[in-house]
């Protein structure tokens, strides 16, 4: 830890004493000892939990409650270019609320608790560590309007916990596409065709691709296929919410 990091931590401790930190979801005061960047225990406990039965590849939830090793219809029909999707939970309830506040309402401090949840989910998968973390890119027009790319912010938080380097500009968005919201699966695929590019060849074998939400998986498929074509051997995807 360098001088500036320890000075910043010390300053944060002093601020916490003067102004006890509040939960970023409900605004209630955090119990003593919890980092200012966490959600309070009731909010954490109230986050929607992943479905017990889901596709082992793309994490889509099955209706049946029994855990299953069967791949979903989409993955059987068209095997994805990634090997696994880590999802904190379904895109619903307080998780959806937190993601929307983080993404659309500029509530950047949420990157810490959400990034922590994402890193914990990846670590609980007990798979081999990735060599590199990449993020689904925004087109420069949208980046200019929003001021930040939520996927890059989350990727940096994953790096903080896993100690794996982030390549924020490895993927770039070369075409400004219409929003994916409201499009069906076929329209989403054609909307994304040729939208992304990889900026340089990849020497990392295992890459963790980070995004905030996965809906049909079209974006993750497109980006993972490009990373594979650029030289990566295996791609895992990490998202907060799985629709
Ligand atoms: Zn709370
Ligand atoms: Zn699947």
């Amino acid at each position: 830890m360098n001088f500036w990091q320890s000075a910043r931590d010390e300053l944060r401790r002093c601020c916490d004493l003067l102004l006890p930190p509040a939960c970023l979801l409900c605004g209630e005061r955090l119990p003593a000892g919890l980092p200012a960047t966490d959600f309070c225990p009731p909010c954490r406990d109230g986050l929607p939990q992943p479905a017990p039965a889901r596709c082992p590849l793309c994490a889509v939830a099955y209706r049946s409650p029994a855990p299953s090793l069967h791949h979903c219809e989409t993955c059987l029909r068209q095997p994805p270019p990634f090997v696994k999707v880590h999802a904190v939970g379904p895109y619903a309830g307080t998780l959806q609320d937190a993601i929307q506040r983080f993404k659309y309402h500029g509530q950047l401090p949420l990157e810490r608790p959400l990034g922590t949840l994402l890193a914990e989910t990846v670590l609980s998968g007990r798979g081999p560590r990735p060599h590199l973390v990449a993020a689904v890119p925004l087109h420069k027009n949208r980046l200019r309007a929003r001021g930040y790319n939520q996927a890059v912010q989350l990727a940096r938080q994953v790096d903080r916990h896993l100690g794996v380097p982030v390549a924020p500009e490895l993927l770039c968005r070369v075409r400004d596409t219409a929003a994916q919201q409201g499009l069906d699966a076929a329209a989403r695929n054609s909307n994304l065709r040729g939208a992304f590019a990889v900026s340089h060849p990849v020497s990392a074998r295992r890459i963790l691709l980070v995004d905030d939400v996965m809906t049909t998986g079209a974006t993750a498929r497109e980006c993972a296929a490009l990373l594979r074509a650029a030289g990566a051997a295996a791609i895992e995807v990490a998202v907060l919410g799985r629709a």
Side-chain angles (χ1 to χ4, degrees):
M1 187 181 285
N2 65 30
F3 170 77
W4 289 111
Q5 270 176 319
S6 52
R8 199 178 50 206
D9 287 351
E10 198 52 44
L11 186 65
R12 190 171 289 145
R13 264 193 291 275
C14 293
C15 291
D16 289 355
L17 276 178
L18 292 170
L19 193 71
C23 168
L24 290 171
L25 265 186
C26 68
E28 289 291 318
R29 188 172 291 185
L30 285 177
L34 262 193
T37 51
D38 210 342
F39 293 140
C40 71
C43 282
R44 256 197 176 243
D45 294 345
L47 288 169
Q49 295 301 306
R54 49 194 192 274
C55 172
L57 285 177
C58 73
V60 73
Y62 294 147
R63 283 208 188 94
S64 132
S68 167
L69 292 173
H70 295 295
H71 294 173
C72 72
E73 215 182 297
T74 309
C75 289
L76 282 174
R77 209 173 44 235
Q78 197 185 3
F82 47 76
V83 292
K84 188 182 172 91
V85 173
H86 305 268
V88 170
Y91 186 50
T94 46
L95 183 60
Q96 180 177 10
D97 177 42
I99 294 169
Q100 292 192 345
R101 281 157 56 178
F102 169 53
K103 186 171 174 179
Y104 300 117
H105 302 288
Q107 293 192 16
L108 258 177
L110 280 165
E111 72 183 6
R112 282 229 170 192
L114 290 175
T116 301
L117 287 171
L118 194 59
E120 286 172 358
T121 303
V122 172
L123 285 169
S124 70
R126 292 170 211 254
R129 288 268 169 128
H131 297 118
L132 194 72
V133 181
V136 169
L138 285 183
H139 189 267
K140 61 181 187 314
N141 293 347
R142 202 161 300 171
L143 186 60
R144 207 174 297 135
R146 189 171 296 164
Y148 58 94
N149 176 354
Q150 69 282 353
V152 169
Q153 300 302 115
L154 291 170
R156 293 213 164 99
Q157 293 300 319
V158 170
D159 161 35
R160 205 166 62 81
H161 290 273
L162 269 68
V164 175
V166 181
E169 278 152 19
L170 176 57
L171 284 162
C172 48
R173 202 152 188 145
V174 289
R175 197 161 57 75
D176 197 3
T177 52
Q180 293 279 85
Q181 265 172 346
L183 301 179
D184 65 19
R188 279 173 182 252
N189 287 338
S190 60
N191 186 36
L192 288 178
R193 213 153 287 141
F196 301 101
V198 173
S199 56
H200 54 80
V202 176
S203 57
R205 288 182 52 74
R206 281 194 304 275
I207 296 185
L208 183 72
L209 174 66
V210 170
D211 203 1
D212 53 335
V213 177
M214 179 185 273
T215 306
T216 62
T219 302
R221 279 174 180 264
E222 197 73 20
C223 290
L226 285 171
L227 292 171
R228 291 280 304 275
I235 315 296
E236 294 191 7
V237 180
V239 294
L240 295 169
R242 179 66 167 105

